[in-house]
Amino acid sequence: MAKITAGVGTSHVPLLGRIIDINQTDTEEWRPVFSGYDFTRQWIANEKPDVVVLVYNDHANAFDMKMIPTFAIGCGESYHPADEGYGARPVPPVKGDAELSWHIAQSVIQQGFDLTIINEMEVDHGLTVPMSLMFGQPEAWPCKVVPIMVNTVVYPAPSGERCLALGKAIRKAIESYDGDLNIQVWGTGGMSHQLLGARAGIINREWDTAFLDKLSDKQEELAKIPQTEYIRETGTEGSETVMWLIMRGALGDNVKEIHRHYHVPISNTALGHIVFETKD
Amino acid sequence: MALEKPYQDIPGTTVFDGDMARIGFHLNQFCMSLQSEENRKAFFADERGYMSKWPMSEEQIQAVLERDLNRLLALGGNIYYLVKITMAEGMSVAAAVSTMTDMSTEEYMDMMKKGGRSPEGNRYIGESE
Ligand SMILES: [Fe+2]
């Protein structure tokens, strides 16, 4: 039977991908940022997940204003890195698990989440940067990916309650899958950042830290935070953090936090990272 | 009933909502076209001529020509789309972002290095000094 064994939360700042791609992670400037992932990289090499259900948002790269799915699931066999305006990142194509994706889609839709099904799409830094942070620069990625894409670019993003509930539905779907798979769920994006207007550059370490503190056992409380509070407290783009609740919902009631990292700034953004193991 | 906008009392912030998406649709789709190298070349060769392929307003066209990002935000531009113009010119996202603040790029970067802009006094219009 398939089992969700762990969850990972991480920011997906594009600059981090760039620094990895040009081999600068060990410089004096970047070491303090990337060393926060040393634990996770070793841990995941032992854990060897077969599949990662990776929750992220596109940033006007693979998708434009023509179509804006609120929740979507990739059901393809593979996904190529998008050209974000300066050439595609030099990372391997992402391998899908189409059979598992379709299973999750069917189960989750029947549980009341009308996901958009996507068979062909490119993936931007929202998905590929977390892969690089966890796995470095392999020839081929060591696991398959089920992309869950969330709209956080056009207001309104889905509510925290819907995100948490979607995570729970994904958990149910995976528990009913026959394949004997070790599955992780990752929530990406955030934390504090605002890329626009006179208030650009806002960083709220206190709010971000409280969010991380509550994520292990007060997720129902976090789910009640409205999008306006994310924007007011952590910036317009800080509202991406709501996606971490999909990850948390998929982990079941009891989790154990085994690692955390927080760093300000990565360019305009507060970097947050957390690792949970499931306990049942 | 008009759209409910509980975020309108946040200072220096334009939330990209349905109204913005509606008035900015063609502007944002124009920005999106700059994903391709061929289009970037055509744009820089004749900016106004290139933009005439989209039914944008004269105000939007003017604001693109002036690279006035704050104006473009008010005219329905979305930041992820707008930075495609500045990135095509080799400008970093942080530098582009700084042009929307009352700081120089150096001052903005310096503020970020020191921990960013504090939310104190920046949550509600009129709450600060
Ligand atoms: Fe993002």
Side-chain angles (χ1 to χ4, degrees):
Chain A
M1 231 190 58
K3 192 172 173 1
I4 297 173
T5 56
V8 173
T10 184
S11 304
H12 56 217
V13 193
L15 182 59
L16 296 180
R18 174 84 189 136
I19 297 303
I20 294 172
D21 296 342
I22 60 171
N23 301 308
Q24 297 289 308
T25 60
D26 255 332
T27 61
E28 199 182 316
E29 183 185 1
W30 289 103
R31 192 68 213 135
V33 174
F34 289 93
S35 63
Y37 289 87
D38 288 349
F39 168 87
T40 317
R41 278 201 308 277
Q42 283 183 14
W43 166 82
I44 210 161
N46 292 325
E47 290 290 310
K48 297 190 178 51
D50 300 299
V51 182
V52 169
V53 175
L54 203 160
V55 182
Y56 78 107
N57 67 291
D58 182 73
H59 308 74
N61 287 311
F63 290 81
D64 61 14
M65 290 303 292
K66 271 187 231 151
M67 265 185 293
I68 303 155
T70 295
F71 287 124
I73 182 167
C75 290
E77 300 287 351
S78 69
Y79 311 94
H80 284 266
D83 180 344
E84 305 186 22
Y86 36 83
R89 290 192 58 212
V91 294
V94 175
K95 290 174 285 186
D97 187 332
E99 192 187 339
L100 176 61
S101 284
W102 278 101
H103 172 86
I104 293 173
Q106 175 173 322
S107 166
V108 164
I109 289 168
Q110 286 176 340
Q111 293 178 63
F113 279 92
D114 307 320
L115 297 184
T116 299
I117 293 164
I118 302 179
N119 287 310
E120 212 174 80
M121 64 171 176
E122 292 183 335
V123 290
D124 78 356
H125 66 264
L127 188 143
T128 63
V129 166
M131 294 292 281
S132 300
L133 288 169
M134 306 310 151
F135 297 121
Q137 298 169 287
E139 286 281 296
W141 298 120
C143 67
K144 293 179 175 177
V145 172
V146 171
I148 302 287
M149 190 178 75
V150 181
N151 164 48
T152 61
V153 171
V154 183
Y155 182 94
S159 71
E161 277 164 336
R162 282 297 272 175
C163 287
L164 190 69
L166 174 59
K168 291 177 186 176
I170 290 171
R171 179 174 183 82
K172 256 194 175 163
I174 287 173
E175 281 174 341
S176 69
Y177 188 68
D178 286 333
D180 182 22
L181 297 175
N182 173 5
I183 297 178
Q184 293 188 357
V185 181
W186 298 359
T188 74
M191 295 186 89
S192 301
H193 63 306
Q194 174 155 333
L195 303 178
L196 60 87
R199 203 180 72 134
I202 201 145
I203 299 284
N204 195 337
R205 177 186 284 266
E206 230 181 303
W207 196 98
D208 288 345
T209 305
F211 186 95
L212 293 170
D213 288 344
K214 289 177 182 170
L215 198 54
S216 52
D217 59 0
K218 297 191 177 65
Q219 67 274 24
E220 305 288 342
E221 186 189 322
L222 291 178
K224 294 201 173 70
I225 299 170
Q227 190 178 355
T228 300
E229 180 177 329
Y230 285 92
I231 297 171
R232 194 185 303 283
E233 294 293 333
T234 73
T236 39
E237 284 64 54
S239 58
E240 287 181 350
T241 311
V242 76
M243 292 187 287
W244 293 34
L245 292 172
I246 299 176
M247 173 270 285
R248 181 60 193 87
L251 303 184
D253 290 339
N254 299 307
V255 298
K256 184 179 171 209
E257 179 182 332
I258 59 169
H259 180 63
R260 191 194 289 202
H261 177 45
Y262 188 82
H263 184 95
V264 174
I266 311 297
S267 183
N268 306 282
T269 307
L271 167 89
H273 171 44
I274 200 161
V275 181
F276 294 117
E277 281 180 346
T278 58
K279 285 212 293 197
D280 42 59
Chain B
M1 200 178 99
L3 290 180
E4 201 183 307
K5 302 191 183 201
Y7 40 80
Q8 273 185 320
D9 57 356
I10 306 174
T13 299
T14 308
V15 172
F16 188 68
D17 59 16
D19 283 338
M20 289 294 139
R22 188 163 48 78
I23 64 173
F25 179 73
H26 297 294
L27 165 63
N28 290 319
Q29 293 300 79
F30 143 71
C31 292
M32 196 70 190
S33 75
L34 301 178
Q35 292 277 82
S36 110
E37 177 60 25
E38 196 188 328
N39 289 343
R40 287 196 289 270
K41 272 197 194 132
F43 171 65
F44 289 120
D46 173 13
E47 297 196 4
R48 183 176 277 277
Y50 180 82
M51 282 189 276
S52 70
K53 287 190 274 180
W54 285 266
M56 293 160 60
S57 71
E58 177 55 29
E59 253 186 311
Q60 290 172 330
I61 290 170
Q62 203 54 47
V64 171
L65 293 174
E66 290 167 21
R67 306 294 190 264
D68 185 342
L69 295 185
N70 270 331
R71 189 89 201 102
L72 287 165
L73 285 178
L75 297 172
N78 173 279
I79 190 61
Y80 291 117
Y81 291 80
L82 296 177
V83 293
K84 293 185 189 300
I85 306 172
T86 48
M87 271 186 335
E89 294 177 307
M91 196 175 190
S92 76
V93 172
V97 168
S98 73
T99 69
M100 290 175 275
T101 69
D102 59 4
M103 281 171 252
S104 69
T105 299
E106 291 66 33
E107 287 165 347
Y108 175 79
M109 305 275 211
D110 196 51
M111 173 184 78
M112 294 316 299
K113 282 200 191 96
K114 289 179 176 145
R117 186 189 301 281
S118 165
E120 296 313 321
N122 287 312
R123 293 184 174 94
Y124 294 89
I125 288 174
E127 71 168 322
S128 61
E129 48 281 51

